[in-house]
Amino acid sequence: MLSVWLVATGTILQLASGSIVPPLFDYDSLTQCRQDHAAAAVFCYVKVITKIDDPFRSALDVNGTRVVQQFRRNLLDHAICVQDCEREVAALSEQDRDRLYCEEFPVEFRHIFSTSYWQEQLEPYQKKYSKLINICVNNRLEQRYNLAYHGYSKIEYCLDNKSATETYDVLKMTFIAIVSALFVTCLYANLCDLFDKNGESTIVSSFSLRRTWTNFTEVSKSDLYKDFAYIDGLRVVINFVILYGHCVIVPTNMPVDNPEDLEQYSTEVATRYLTTMFAFPVQIFFTISGLLLMVNFLRDIKRKPNLEAGYFRSKIVNRLIRLLPVYYFFLLAATVGAILPGVELGLLGYTVLVREQQICRSNWWSNVLMINNLPFYEDQCFCHGWYLGADLQLFLLGLSMLWVIWKFPRAAKVLFWGLGVVSIVIPAVILYRNGIESVMTTRHSQTPFLFMYDEWVREIYQPSYNNINSFIGGLIAGYLYHQIKHNKLNLNNSWLYNLMLKIATPLFVLSILPINLFFTHNVPQWGILLHSILHRNMIVVMVCLGYIKCFQSPKGWARRLLSSRVMTTTGKLCYSSYVLHTLLIRYIVNNSPALLHFSAGDVTVLTLATVGLSYVVSVPVYLTIEQPISTVLKNWYSSSKKPKGA
């Protein structure tokens, strides 16, 4: 059923025609190539750099636009059926072949992913077909588009008609073994549970679908959960926004047949505003992490002022136990995604599966260590995993703060103010020193690289130290909740709180309104800096003021909806759905028989398929991986802490 859905969704993403000449993306039919040439078929993905003078700035920098968002007109993306090229070149005279061949020339911009990850596999194809493809591409540009200039072709990847799934691979075998072990364990546990055998063993109780389902649908009755049940519903809403955003991004990172429509969409004022505000949902997630960490910590202190030895260590271990099983499972899946049984690479298979797989095989360690969000590693594996690394790093920072607050309660205010200032200064210094934009921009010269090399994303958006403001905001909101809950504070008497209530909304609006000016006008660097500080912090202030209002007022319809059983139960699936959704997108796109087409309808189809599939798949993932493995590991950890003989 899942494979049928993937194929059906991929088929909907169909071919149209573009108006940019020569087309930026020109792909032969992989299906036709395989049919025409059977086992001899070789299909290569090629970057073509044409010789035209300064096309990116002079031809595209129109109407005084400061931020050039369009594609480079001198960078073409071709996919070539080599046997068709051989036939075309064979029909040319020796003189024409010499004339059409173009030597490599220096290029000052990034135009290709590093092929070092698969160079050994690629080298035989480069030696055999580089000159042939160079001549073939230039001949096509002349014959089809009457171009007077030529380009240099660089082979990025080639695949033949042999099935990659038939090859032996240690990582593939490891993944299959893990899946098999999970299946056997679940089958054993549920048979034992069904026939009431070994029912009290950790494995049986943890992997029993009946018991896990009961826990999944169970609603906590604690007073603390009643106050914060809406957070689970809020997670669902924010997760949907993030998944939708990633689906919108897909066509900007993939070869499309109508790049002119994509350019038009990207340069519309409304799109610029939406793009720059895409960071907001992630910032809200960080505030949630800080809020819940502080609330639970202060609850624990109230119950037991003298915390048990190892309290903070247990917090870290339990956090890792919850995060790592699902994360590592799908990280491994991404590392073998292109060669799993039943997977046949489609036209866009190299772009969405192979490239990710090869990068992960080299850079997996940065994900395993949860440091892939730091800007020291250019080629990212499992790109969206940056959030998990940043969140864990902020969690460790938060625990350090809580330890200080526990030891020195009076230091809380100084600590909050100090880190608040630091959270503003660090990104401001980085932004000013590197001359980075104040907000996220969509430059199509960068988007084919999945924003891996976009300076704002790598230097400002992803590092944990630039998101301290969001986390600190959540911690402060949690601290105020505790003080208000136990009648230790009346915020209505606070001049600072009352001042923020008055100025927060106008300042937030002010942080949004001038965004388009930064795309169209040369704003001084100090203006960019001030806007960045305002833009990145006012959303945090607004969200945290919203939390505080929720503490002080009865539930309205919005919180009742977010606290409903459907929303709180679905909220338990948000983590798994987030981790696995990009892999689903990759398989959906891999099943597309042609280049993607960018339109509101196509993005809607992709979003519905991605959101629907991610939550459907996350149910068995939650029941067979996330919950049972976490339970087993927590039991093992608890047992290891008990004295021997106890």
Side-chain angles (χ1 to χ4, degrees), residues 56-71:
F56 191 54
R57 297 299 307 185
S58 61
L60 300 176
D61 189 5
V62 294
N63 299 324
T65 298
R66 187 175 72 90
V67 177
V68 180
Q69 296 180 262
Q70 289 90 342
F71 292 95

Side-chain angles (χ1 to χ4, degrees), residues 331-471:
L331 175 62
L332 180 58
T335 309
V336 297
I339 57 173
L340 288 177
V343 175
E344 182 177 0
L345 292 180
L347 182 64
L348 302 176
Y350 157 68
T351 306
V352 292
L353 291 177
V354 174
R355 197 159 57 192
E356 166 101 338
Q357 173 179 286
Q358 298 300 338
I359 292 174
C360 284
R361 285 173 181 248
S362 295
N363 293 352
W364 58 269
W365 59 272
S366 64
N367 292 73
V368 168
L369 296 178
M370 308 290 275
I371 58 174
N372 58 311
N373 65 303
L374 301 177
F376 313 118
Y377 318 103
E378 276 201 334
D379 297 328
Q380 285 183 301
C381 155
F382 215 50
C383 293
H384 69 298
W386 76 266
Y387 168 79
L388 304 178
D391 189 57
L392 179 62
Q393 292 155 25
L394 290 172
F395 175 79
L396 296 176
L397 172 66
L399 282 184
S400 302
M401 290 183 61
L402 298 183
W403 182 87
V404 173
I405 292 173
W406 173 52
K407 288 290 187 181
F408 312 100
R410 294 184 180 180
K413 290 183 180 180
V414 175
L415 198 59
F416 286 142
W417 278 105
L419 278 174
V421 171
V422 168
S423 71
I424 294 174
V425 170
I426 291 178
V429 170
I430 294 173
L431 184 141
Y432 187 81
R433 184 191 64 195
N434 294 355
I436 304 173
E437 304 296 337
S438 64
V439 293
M440 180 187 293
T441 60
T442 304
R443 287 182 168 93
H444 290 300
S445 57
Q446 288 294 327
T447 52
F449 301 104
L450 296 170
F451 297 101
M452 283 186 191
Y453 316 118
D454 185 279
E455 203 168 12
W456 189 89
V457 172
R458 298 295 284 130
E459 296 284 350
I460 301 295
Y461 181 54
Q462 294 182 350
S464 54
Y465 46 78
N466 289 335
N467 288 287
I468 293 175
N469 61 334
S470 302
F471 196 76

